[in-house]
Amino acid sequence: MPISDSLVVALMYEGPSGSHACSREVVDAWGCETDAAIQAALDNARRLGPWMFDRGPDGLLVSHAGEQLGAALLRFDELLGEVQFRGEPVVMVPDAKLLLVADSADERCIAAMLKLAANCLAGRGLSGTALRRTHEELRRYDPSDASLW
């Protein structure tokens, strides 16, 4: 299920032999809608919390290193709601286990996010697209200072 033009939600489950992606057929066999299955997965993950961000360089918020839910934390609206931003939250998911959050009003924070994301993307990365987080919507971040890119 797409959540932006560069990211999709993948429903996963833990079984005896590890993590597995749930295809549409698996979700249908469970007898539930995809949205309901994703909501149930998020609710289960919330019960495993509390989830928090680490402070990275220049005020960058970084999901905990090695945290399996890194990118999924993007769907936890309450986490970003607890953070005070001068501008809007700008997020990147350079790896499935890594969520980066910067303040759009802080050029040093944005630069730190881009540098860390570039390091992740040098290997086997997920997405190099920065997204602006608004009310229940993700849009491509278009910085006013193009020199940051």
Side-chain angles (χ1 to χ4, degrees):
M1 171 188 326
I3 60 172
S4 78
D5 62 352
S6 62
L7 291 174
V8 297
V9 170
L11 186 61
M12 305 288 290
Y13 72 94
E14 289 289 326
S17 59
S19 295
H20 305 281
C22 295
S23 66
R24 164 71 73 186
E25 292 77 23
V26 170
V27 174
D28 288 345
W30 289 343
C32 68
E33 298 292 323
T34 302
D35 287 342
I38 290 170
Q39 188 59 52
L42 290 171
D43 291 343
N44 287 340
R46 280 185 179 93
R47 284 192 283 277
L48 298 173
W51 305 108
M52 303 179 322
F53 291 105
D54 291 330
R55 278 280 171 191
D58 296 312
L60 180 65
L61 299 176
V62 181
S63 60
H64 289 292
E67 178 56 59
Q68 293 291 332
L69 293 176
L73 295 177
L74 182 58
R75 299 291 305 261
F76 287 27
D77 296 330
E78 64 274 15
L79 276 180
L80 293 180
E82 294 174 2
V83 180
Q84 294 293 320
F85 294 99
R86 288 181 300 148
E88 294 176 310
V90 176
V91 300
M92 288 187 83
V93 184
D95 182 275
K97 296 179 181 178
L98 182 62
L99 174 62
L100 306 175
V101 184
D103 187 331
S104 66
D106 187 337
E107 290 181 7
R108 290 180 60 198
C109 189
I110 294 286
M113 178 176 69
L114 295 175
K115 182 178 180 181
L116 184 53
N119 290 338
C120 293
L121 293 168
R124 186 175 168 214
L126 184 62
S127 173
T129 303
L131 301 167
R132 182 171 50 95
R133 177 78 190 246
T134 62
H135 304 289
E136 298 187 28
E137 189 173 50
L138 292 169
R139 294 186 181 196
R140 281 185 185 265
Y141 174 62
D142 183 17
S144 58
D145 181 1
S147 68
L148 291 174
W149 294 102

